[in-house]
Amino acid sequence: MVAFQSVILHVDMDAFFAAVEVRNNPKLKGKPVIVGGGIGQRGVVSTCSYEARKYGVKSGMPAGQAQRLCPNGVFISAGLRGYIYASACLQKIFNKYSPVVEPISVDEAFLDITGTERLFGGPEELVYAMKNEIWEEMKLTCSVGIAPGKYLAKLASGINKPDGMTILDRDRFKAIFFPLPVDSLWGVGESTKRTLNRQGVFTVGDLAATDATVLKRIFGINGGYLSVMSRGEDTSSILGTDEAQDDKSMSHETTVSKDIQDPTIIKATVLWLSDKVSRRMRRRGFVGRTVSVKIRSSDFFTITRSHTLSRPTDRSDVLYYHAMKLIPREFGMKFKVRLLGVRMSELSRRDRIDDVNYPDSPDLGQLDLSLFDDEVKTNRLTKAVDSIRDKYGEGSVLLAGTLCE
Amino acid sequence: MKFSLPKSRLTHYLQAVLNVVPAKSTLPILSNILFEALDAKLKISATDLDVTITVSLEAEVAKKGSGVLPGRMLFDIIKELPETEITFESTANRIEVKVPNGSYKVSAVSPDEFPELPAVNLKKQVNMDAETLANMIRRTTFACSHDETRPALNGVLWQTKADRMIMVATDGHRLARVAAESGGLKGVSDDVIIPPKVLDLMVKFLPAGITTIGVIFEENRIMFNLGELVLSSRLIEGPYPNYSAVIPASTDKRMEIAKEDLHSAVRRVAILSNSLTHQVKFSVKGETLTLSTTNADVGGEARENLACEYKGEPIEIGYNAGYVTDILSKIEGDEVVFELSSAVSAGIIYAADVPKEDFICLLMPLRLTE
């Protein structure tokens, strides 16, 4: 019997894209099915069936590598429309079982089922009913984690896959995770692992035994998070659909077609991404204050950095300037870059800000030197380019700086 | 790594280096200071990725090596010590700070984690007169903008034109332009835009008695070599707006007035000004400048008359008192000149006995509200 103060489910569809493909084409049943995004050698594996996983194929792996590992694999390029439809059907089912659903991606969601015992007889009964309905309606299976917080629930759903259900309380967490390496925790990547190992911290148990203040000193705010998570003391609650789907940020990222080391190409790519993001913001009437960049090196070491501006903007040149500032010098010199992303967050509606260009000097009567004729011209130019793109498509006008290779 | 040095020397330099250590950062490594023990020499460095500072000092080095320590924590420990010799020694993953009555052990981050520091290329160094450079900086950085959506204005423009070098800063409301003989700078560098932080730090730590400063221009960086202290900074990408177009070519009104009298009168009158606009009205007529302000919030009103020399039609013009005092504090000499044309256009402010080419400020008015 589950007796948590709050009960959170993490529902994770089993090999979702691949499962949808197999369901739609029963001939594929039992074959190693590999679904990828992107084109040709540089594509990335989105999902693969459990048969393909036996060969060592994993999500996020370059398609070329997957092909080497599993030469008999059936490669299918992702048919996103079908997955989105399936995802919408799933969402409908989730909503029957909980009023508080936080989708994480097309095939994963958190459900807060606290207080639903009377309706369903308890968390396990609810999960059986829901899994059954998903199977009956959609012929798909999922794995479910039940825990007092989001984070533990996410770990729990991964323990017994596919078609499993796992209840994870603090004691069970200790028994299962303490002997495992630190990177089995959600959110601990390659670089965090390396830093921890250097401090003599190798297992989750070691991490739990490390003083939180030491971790905070090394990792900043994330140190506190690591400490709480490593002890299984997670009671994080979830965001409802409305909050989670609110426009909190706009971003664009790209896995480059060839690992890049040349700073000019990095610049061109960041310029292109900044242009994309700011164009989307302008189209949807937003301005943003926080600029973030995401960079992944060819050895899958990923960093994100962000900076909050003194006032919001939707201008691509401003976004580009601050994005470039956030990219550490080491990238493109020491490392090869595999993925670049630019994000704008802390968004507000443009029309709710009196004057985007001068919001920090509301009309107090201070006059300006006419230094900004260029800026006025730039704004006019941006508007003109936007209207051409509205009419003739995004590719009709390009920034010259993005034209390399 | 093992080295020793006297407490007072260490605190002096630590304090300088801590100016660059960010108070808050998404990169925790930046709150640390890098110690490098070389032959009879110790180098201490910090960076916020934009500005980097390195001090080199003599120290007794028993074992060469490097280590990274939390900056503020270390400073807080050391500043409380009486004058003494302090020894630093690193072990596997800790650094021990030995003091006469005991020791402090701090877990240390690997020096490899510390950002790579820019190399000092002495071959490219240009030597410049320290006093000239410091004076130019003191007169410009105050006018830089803090608006991050106009990055170019966040720095000081430094350019050379024929035998002159010019520095300009503006936030769109006021502008400062200062010029001097370019000395060895001629033809060395294109126009650069320098963040004010590194310039202010350079002036702050200019060692007493120093006559020349080494300047090194790299592609995206600038370095200032002050001997035992080296500062470097990322440059801001341009273009800088065409500032010369906004400097009025001719004006039809000229007021000359005793600077200190005006400065203190503006400060007094401003006390009763509106707390948002800081508006003080300048009314010039005949040989009198009247400063006045009203503040509806506190029901206050202030007025002072000052004698001045004035040529031109009477004028009433509003200014932000803060901007006026900022400028007056940078102007040398006893007399200051205001060249004006209208209540909605830029005024030129300069010292009566300094050539206009050397130093002027522009100030845009506030629209009068009465």
Side-chain angles (χ1 to χ4, degrees):
Chain A
M1 183 67 202
V2 177
F4 304 141
Q5 281 218 320
S6 57
V7 190
I8 307 292
L9 301 185
H10 177 253
V11 183
D12 191 6
M13 300 308 293
D14 299 321
F16 185 56
F17 294 177
V20 172
E21 296 294 346
V22 173
R23 181 194 68 184
N24 295 350
N25 181 2
K27 280 187 204 154
L28 297 174
K29 204 164 177 182
K31 290 189 177 151
V33 175
I34 299 165
V35 181
I39 312 143
Q41 276 289 309
R42 293 300 301 187
V44 169
V45 175
S46 302
T47 324
C48 58
S49 67
Y50 285 86
E51 288 80 7
R53 290 182 199 196
K54 284 178 199 150
Y55 293 90
V57 181
K58 283 179 188 158
S59 321
M61 180 180 273
Q65 192 184 348
Q67 211 146 19
R68 280 194 297 280
L69 288 169
C70 182
N72 301 324
V74 182
F75 285 78
I76 297 176
S77 82
L80 287 175
R81 197 177 286 182
Y83 310 147
I84 291 167
Y85 177 72
S87 178
C89 298
L90 271 175
Q91 184 70 35
K92 267 192 194 154
I93 298 176
F94 293 157
N95 288 342
K96 284 190 195 170
Y97 292 88
S98 165
V100 192
V101 178
E102 181 188 336
I104 318 173
S105 65
V106 284
D107 66 336
E108 267 181 89
F110 288 117
L111 278 70
D112 187 339
I113 57 159
T114 314
T116 57
E117 293 81 1
R118 288 210 187 148
L119 288 169
F120 297 97
E124 289 123 302
E125 287 74 11
L126 181 148
V127 170
Y128 285 131
M130 185 174 66
K131 281 170 70 78
N132 199 37
E133 184 170 350
I134 293 173
W135 177 252
E136 289 301 322
E137 294 285 316
M138 309 182 63
K139 300 292 174 226
L140 294 173
T141 63
C142 60
S143 299
V144 182
I146 308 174
K150 254 161 82 165
Y151 171 77
L152 283 181
K154 166 95 181 168
L155 286 179
S157 69
I159 292 174
N160 189 4
K161 259 184 158 301
D163 201 14
M165 177 179 78
T166 308
I167 300 166
L168 194 62
D169 59 13
R170 210 171 292 171
D171 290 332
R172 193 120 192 260
F173 170 82
K174 284 182 187 168
I176 298 174
F177 282 91
F178 270 25
L180 297 182
V182 279
D183 60 351
S184 45
L185 292 178
W186 189 27
V188 178
E190 218 17 71
S191 102
T192 309
K193 181 185 174 180
R194 253 186 284 150
T195 313
L196 284 170
N197 288 355
R198 246 199 315 268
Q199 300 287 325
V201 175
F202 293 95
T203 65
V204 175
D206 294 345
L207 187 58
T210 309
D211 192 0
T213 50
V214 173
L215 295 174
K216 276 185 199 155
R217 195 162 71 66
I218 304 172
F219 298 104
I221 194 158
N222 287 331
Y225 164 85
L226 280 177
S227 176
V228 169
M229 295 309 162
S230 65
R231 280 176 274 124
E233 288 168 3
D234 160 53
T235 53
S236 48
S237 57
I238 77 180
L239 300 165
T241 317
D242 295 346
E243 287 166 87
Q245 287 184 344
D246 195 14
D247 279 311
K248 284 200 165 132
S249 66
M250 293 197 186
S251 61
H252 207 90
E253 60 181 50
T254 182
T255 297
V256 290
S257 55
K258 206 167 69 188
D259 290 340
I260 42 181
Q261 201 159 12
D262 178 354
T264 350
I265 300 177
I266 293 181
K267 278 185 172 180
T269 310
V270 174
L271 182 62
W272 177 72
L273 293 169
S274 305
D275 184 43
K276 281 248 177 208
V277 172
S278 64
R279 161 86 173 127
R280 198 182 316 156
M281 293 208 299
R282 288 194 300 272
R283 203 150 69 171
R284 300 186 51 188
F286 283 99
V287 287
R289 272 191 72 194
T290 302
V291 181
S292 313
V293 293
K294 177 172 169 186
I295 310 125
R296 181 170 297 152
S297 68
S298 50
D299 55 358
F300 278 86
F301 164 78
T302 307
I303 66 157
T304 58
R305 295 239 175 110
S306 63
H307 175 72
T308 300
L309 305 175
S310 54
R311 57 183 190 151
T313 187
D314 59 3
R315 281 179 37 188
S316 59
D317 55 338
V318 175
L319 185 51
Y320 165 70
Y321 174 82
H322 289 283
M324 277 314 295
K325 259 185 83 173
L326 288 168
I327 294 183
R329 284 190 292 278
E330 292 84 2
F331 278 95
M333 321 264 170
K334 271 194 205 165
F335 305 103
K336 285 184 177 172
V337 178
R338 180 185 171 80
L339 175 145
L340 280 166
V342 171
R343 169 191 299 269
M344 199 63 160
S345 53
E346 249 195 87
L347 304 182
S348 22
R349 302 284 320 181
R350 193 190 166 99
D351 48 22
R352 283 191 208 150
I353 288 187
D354 300 338
D355 181 351
V356 176
N357 290 318
Y358 305 94
D360 60 347
S361 54
D363 192 21
L364 298 174
Q366 177 66 56
L367 300 167
D368 285 315
L369 291 163
S370 46
L371 280 168
F372 309 117
D373 293 353
D374 290 354
E375 205 166 281
V376 174
K377 274 186 216 153
T378 309
N379 288 344
R380 237 182 274 151
L381 179 68
T382 305
K383 262 192 195 150
V385 170
D386 279 351
S387 60
I388 295 172
R389 284 175 173 175
D390 286 341
K391 206 164 168 185
Y392 299 104
E394 294 305 308
S396 57
V397 184
L398 295 173
L399 290 167
T402 64
L403 292 176
C404 54
E405 279 191 297
Chain B
M1 177 184 75
K2 188 178 180 184
F3 62 85
S4 326
L5 75 174
K7 178 240 171 180
S8 51
R9 274 174 72 75
L10 184 61
T11 38
H12 174 75
Y13 290 109
L14 267 186
Q15 227 164 349
V17 168
L18 279 177
N19 274 278
V20 174
V21 174
K24 262 198 314 202
S25 174
T26 46
L27 275 183
I29 185 75
L30 300 183
S31 63
N32 292 281
I33 288 178
L34 173 69
F35 287 85
E36 295 167 279
L38 311 164
D39 282 317
K41 198 167 92 173
L42 177 67
K43 273 169 112 177
I44 313 176
S45 307
T47 179
D48 63 6
L49 295 181
D50 281 348
V51 177
T52 300
I53 186 168
T54 299
V55 295
S56 311
L57 53 152
E58 281 169 26
E60 208 176 289
V61 175
K63 195 175 168 202
K64 288 195 269 187
S66 54
V68 170
L69 280 170
R72 276 173 226 285
M73 185 196 283
L74 182 65
F75 180 71
D76 289 343
I77 294 169
I78 289 167
K79 75 171 183 212
E80 294 296 337
L81 287 173
E83 185 56 45
T84 175
E85 188 84 357
I86 305 172
T87 303
F88 287 73
E89 184 168 9
S90 62
T91 56
N93 43 26
R94 292 211 288 190
I95 293 182
E96 187 177 1
V97 183
K98 290 180 190 158
V99 298
N101 294 327
S103 77
Y104 294 81
K105 287 177 186 158
V106 187
S107 72
V109 187
S110 157
D112 303 338
E113 302 263 304
F114 205 78
E116 204 179 329
L117 300 176
V120 184
N121 186 351
L122 287 173
K123 276 188 199 151
K124 287 192 182 174
Q125 179 164 316
V126 184
N127 289 323
M128 310 210 49
D129 182 60
E131 199 45 41
T132 308
L133 202 54
N135 266 331
M136 289 177 78
I137 292 167
R138 283 190 199 104
R139 290 168 181 177
T140 43
T141 52
F142 79 96
C144 286
S145 165
H146 301 287
D147 175 356
E148 293 176 303
T149 64
R150 291 197 181 115
L153 299 192
N154 295 161
V156 174
L157 172 72
W158 191 9
Q159 54 181 192
T160 44
K161 272 189 182 166
D163 292 328
R164 307 274 284 169
M165 58 176 175
I166 302 167
M167 279 192 191
V168 177
T170 179
D171 64 358
H173 306 317
R174 64 249 173 96
L175 177 150
R177 187 195 69 186
V178 54
E181 297 300 317
S182 60
L185 193 62
K186 193 180 172 184
V188 172
S189 167
D190 296 330
D191 296 0
V192 289
I193 306 171
I194 312 168
K197 184 174 178 181
V198 70
L199 298 174
D200 288 335
L201 283 173
M202 190 196 92
V203 172
K204 187 170 171 184
F205 294 115
L206 206 57
I210 193 170
T211 53
T212 60
I213 294 172
V215 185
I216 302 165
F217 294 91
E218 300 281 358
E219 196 186 335
N220 301 310
R221 301 193 73 78
I222 189 164
M223 274 188 215
F224 295 102
N225 186 351
L226 312 179
E228 59 191 4
L229 195 145
V230 175
L231 282 162
S232 94
S233 173
R234 182 188 56 80
L235 292 171
I236 298 174
E237 267 180 60
Y240 201 82
N242 180 12
Y243 70 90
S244 44
V246 302
I247 301 174
S250 67
T251 51
D252 58 356
K253 304 175 181 67
R254 184 180 192 277
M255 172 180 79
E256 188 170 331
I257 191 165
K259 188 190 72 189
E260 274 319 306
D261 294 351
L262 175 64
H263 200 173
S264 51
V266 172
R267 276 188 296 224
R268 283 191 300 274
V269 171
I271 294 167
L272 286 187
S273 68
N274 179 298
S275 61
L276 282 176
T277 64
H278 307 285
Q279 185 183 100
V280 170
K281 184 162 85 178
F282 283 52
S283 315
V284 209
K285 196 180 172 184
E287 301 282 277
T288 309
L289 164 67
T290 305
L291 301 177
S292 61
T293 193
T294 53
N295 184 340
D297 295 343
V298 298
E301 204 176 304
R303 174 180 299 268
E304 286 205 35
N305 293 326
L306 299 167
C308 67
E309 277 175 35
Y310 183 63
K311 271 184 256 158
E313 293 289 307
I315 187 171
E316 290 194 338
I317 189 166
Y319 285 122
N320 177 326
Y323 290 167
V324 177
T325 53
D326 274 355
I327 290 173
L328 291 177
S329 67
K330 304 293 175 192
I331 302 252
E332 288 179 340
D334 298 334
E335 299 282 317
V336 59
V337 177
F338 282 68
E339 282 186 20
L340 308 170
S341 25
S342 81
V344 291
S345 55
I348 311 174
I349 307 171
Y350 54 94
D353 50 9
V354 173
K356 266 169 85 173
E357 297 77 44
D358 285 1
F359 182 39
I360 56 164
C361 292
L362 298 191
L363 181 57
M364 282 303 282
L366 281 166
R367 215 177 291 114
L368 284 169
T369 46
E370 287 159 66

